[in-house]
Amino acid sequence: MLDIKFIRDNLENVKTGLGRRNGNNHDLDALLKQEEERRKGLQESEQLKNKKKKLSAEVGKLKHQGKDASKQMEEVKNLNVFIKELDEKIEELESVIHEKLLHIPNLPDESIPDGQDESSNRFVREWGRKPSLSTKPLNHIELGEKLDLIDLRRAAKISGARFAVYKGAGAALLRGLVNFMVDVQTQENGYEELYPPFLVNKASMLGTGQLPKFENDQFAMRDDPLYLIPTAEVPVTNFHREEILDEESLPICYTAYTPCFRREAGSYGKDTHGLIRQHQFDKVELVKFSRADESEQELEKLVQDAESILKKLNLHYRVMELCAGDIGVSASKTYDLEVWLPSQNTYREISSCSNFRDYQARRAQIRCKKRTGGKPEFVHTLNGSGLAAGRLFVAILENYQNAGGTVTVPDALRPYLQGRELLSL
RNA sequence: GGAGAGGUGGCCGAGCGGUUUAAGGCGCACGCUUGGAAAGCGUGUGUAGGUUUACCCCUACCGAGGGUUCGAAUCCCUCCCUCUCCGCCA
């Protein structure tokens, strides 16, 4: 959420910034007019309330002295009519303004490239090299089914399309990947582990920006006002919702493993086969709460922490900086990590790392007390995948495949698979 | 699911309809005091909004939302959460 006062004081900049995004049709002039009206009404109402308070106190005094107070009582009764009317108007305006603000996306960082879609994303760096596979590479579905690591047919029977059963060594590999990633982030990169609920309330979904705009993308419970989390970002960022943190404690860095649930409405044609796009997938998430003046450097560190997993697994990847038209609504700046997939002869997103600046913090009311005194300030929130386990599973099968259709276990993972070196039948 | 007890500032805790301002304590900050410290004394110490160069001032907030009243932390209603006991349960 943007600050209404900031919009008021920087109208042209806000218009320019939002204009860099796609689908920007917010009438800020109308919004500011309503805000103006709200403030006028508020001032009037507060004056009347002040008068009312003084009169009521007089009543108390007079009654105590045994004197008549009916005149004052009558006057307050009259005032109440006006106050009620004004307050109703103010409340109406407030809710309209708030609702509008909730729908306005974050301002893109000035440094990020212009552009409508991913074709304008900026290449930042790459690491490693593509594996040299002698034969035509099999895709992860062929490998997974051949080695009996996954069962998509039975998953469809149990649940439907876009679900998977991981089986035997496949299940162990997935579980090993999760443990490996959490261990690296906690033991080497300084994150504290959280294991949060997978069902969250509406306030949490509003706090991180999944609601109200993306209700359609979420799985909701039928009988309870709860949602399945689309990412651990939701419960972990909301861990500190409505709190005032100590500036000294920042940055606070959490990592959390959770499954993630997404309806994938509107992506019916995309990645229909295999593990790339699922209704349920596992992810290790990184979340940071940072001082406002440190969030830029914290984002760079967070990206490196996500990259450290790919490096340890010796997987070729590149880092892309998303253009203004391609970043999510809550984000100000985003780097994607894209891992090489031989079967698709392309790079696929395996992590998305964003700085939300104070956008989520304002929605979720997460502030910090300044050491120098003064009013508490909103913190900056950041998060990124570190990494998506399902897609990492895909990347390992495809990049570590051997000529006979077997898959070598990367060195770093062997301790998590009882020392196993090869996946074969 | 049933029964009971509660939710008050950073924390503990009083207040249960009004001589308008949430007592008191702890903690914290600053000052005085001291060779230095402790103790002691003094002052200050929430959040949001409005107004303002700033100070001040004003309004709201005692779990949340309604209601009664000239006036509500206090009375009434609904909901949420916490704790205790019982039941059920991995």
Side-chain angles (χ1 to χ4, degrees):
Chain A
M1 194 158 66
L2 300 180
D3 183 6
I4 185 82
K5 279 190 245 175
F6 181 83
I7 298 176
R8 191 161 30 129
D9 297 339
N10 303 277
L11 185 59
E12 288 315 307
N13 286 342
V14 172
K15 281 182 177 174
T16 309
L18 292 181
R20 297 177 69 201
R21 285 179 174 274
N22 291 327
N24 167 53
N25 54 354
H26 304 281
D27 189 347
L28 298 182
D29 296 309
L31 177 69
L32 288 183
K33 211 175 144 195
Q34 285 172 315
E35 164 65 4
E36 193 63 38
E37 227 181 301
R38 182 190 74 88
R39 273 159 50 221
K40 245 179 94 183
L42 188 64
Q43 283 173 36
E44 212 178 318
S45 164
E46 286 186 352
Q47 269 178 20
L48 296 182
K49 279 178 186 165
N50 183 241
K51 205 166 160 191
K52 169 183 166 175
K53 265 176 95 166
K54 285 180 175 156
L55 282 170
S56 289
E58 247 179 79
V59 172
K61 220 182 268 180
L62 288 170
K63 287 206 165 182
H64 197 75
Q65 296 166 359
K67 292 180 183 168
D68 175 53
S70 55
K71 207 178 115 196
Q72 283 79 357
M73 283 162 71
E74 190 61 29
E75 211 172 324
V76 174
K77 260 189 172 169
N78 288 335
L79 281 178
N80 278 339
V81 177
F82 291 110
I83 291 173
K84 196 179 173 197
E85 210 172 285
L86 277 167
D87 280 355
E88 275 168 8
K89 194 177 122 196
I90 293 163
E91 208 176 309
E92 169 68 20
L93 280 167
E94 258 171 10
S95 85
V96 168
I97 291 165
H98 188 70
E99 185 66 20
K100 282 188 178 178
L101 284 173
L102 283 178
H103 280 87
I104 295 176
N106 200 358
L107 286 175
D109 191 292
E110 283 182 18
S111 70
I112 71 175
D114 285 316
Q116 301 271 304
D117 54 47
E118 62 189 28
S119 64
S120 301
N121 293 346
R122 181 188 287 154
F123 171 84
V124 178
R125 62 179 170 270
E126 64 180 344
W127 184 91
R129 47 175 53 178
K130 298 167 190 171
S132 48
L133 304 170
S134 49
T135 51
K136 184 176 176 294
L138 300 177
N139 68 38
H140 73 275
I141 305 168
E142 295 164 325
L143 288 162
E145 290 185 335
K146 197 166 169 181
L147 295 171
D148 205 20
L149 304 175
I150 57 174
D151 191 331
L152 300 175
R153 191 173 294 276
R154 288 198 174 95
K157 175 175 70 181
I158 300 167
S159 301
R162 293 203 194 285
F163 286 93
V165 173
Y166 291 79
K167 197 179 166 207
L173 175 59
L174 182 68
R175 192 158 46 85
L177 282 171
V178 167
N179 284 334
F180 166 68
M181 291 190 279
V182 171
D183 285 350
V184 170
Q185 303 303 355
T186 56
Q187 290 165 23
E188 297 181 23
N189 296 337
Y191 293 79
E192 183 175 11
E193 184 176 2
L194 295 185
Y195 187 85
F198 304 158
L199 287 168
V200 297
N201 57 30
K202 202 165 181 172
S204 294
M205 294 290 267
L206 277 169
T208 29
Q210 280 73 22
L211 292 181
K213 249 186 163 174
F214 303 105
E215 174 105 44
N216 230 4
D217 295 329
Q218 316 304 331
F219 283 109
M221 296 296 111
R222 192 192 59 197
D223 294 329
D224 299 285
L226 294 170
Y227 297 84
L228 277 168
I229 56 171
T231 159
E233 161 193 353
V234 179
V236 177
T237 305
N238 280 282
F239 188 67
H240 288 304
R241 173 153 50 85
E242 289 152 48
E243 288 185 18
I244 298 177
L245 307 168
D246 186 358
E247 191 179 34
E248 307 288 305
S249 69
L250 302 178
I252 297 172
C253 305
Y254 294 122
T255 185
Y257 154 71
T258 71
C260 304
F261 304 90
R262 300 184 182 179
R263 291 190 65 225
E264 295 295 344
S267 63
Y268 294 119
K270 285 185 195 164
D271 306 307
T272 47
H273 299 299
L275 302 174
I276 296 287
R277 193 175 298 274
Q278 296 268 295
H279 285 311
Q280 173 186 327
F281 62 95
D282 296 278
K283 182 157 61 69
V284 172
E285 186 75 358
L286 307 173
V287 175
K288 288 189 183 190
F289 302 83
S290 151
R291 287 166 51 125
D293 58 355
E294 288 176 347
S295 69
E296 266 180 59
Q297 67 204 62
E298 289 301 333
L299 177 63
E300 300 301 321
K301 279 162 73 179
L302 190 144
V303 174
Q304 287 166 30
D305 294 335
E307 285 179 69
S308 72
I309 301 292
L310 291 170
K311 287 179 179 169
K312 282 175 186 292
L313 294 172
N314 200 23
L315 288 167
H316 173 54
Y317 67 90
R318 65 179 189 181
V319 181
M320 303 296 287
E321 183 180 350
L322 301 198
C323 71
D326 204 27
I327 57 172
V329 293
S330 300
S332 169
K333 177 172 181 171
T334 299
Y335 290 110
D336 273 4
L337 302 189
E338 298 181 342
V339 70
W340 177 252
L341 290 189
S343 77
Q344 299 189 5
N345 198 39
T346 189
Y347 298 88
R348 292 302 303 256
E349 175 190 337
I350 196 165
S351 172
S352 193
C353 304
S354 301
N355 184 357
F356 302 90
R357 304 184 69 84
D358 62 2
Y359 186 87
Q360 290 181 328
R362 181 169 288 107
R363 281 171 168 258
Q365 292 294 306
I366 308 167
R367 292 167 288 176
C368 77
K369 208 174 197 93
K370 303 292 287 180
R371 207 185 172 187
T372 49
K375 284 199 167 192
E377 281 181 10
F378 289 109
V379 301
H380 282 192
T381 60
L382 305 92
N383 68 56
S385 347
L387 310 162
R391 289 191 180 180
L392 187 55
F393 183 96
V394 170
I396 285 170
L397 291 199
E398 295 199 1
N399 283 283
Y400 278 88
Q401 64 180 292
N402 303 308
T406 60
V407 171
T408 301
V409 177
D411 288 340
L413 279 182
R414 291 181 186 173
Y416 293 87
L417 289 170
Q418 291 76 47
R420 191 162 175 177
E421 293 173 14
L422 191 71
L423 302 179
S424 62
L425 275 184

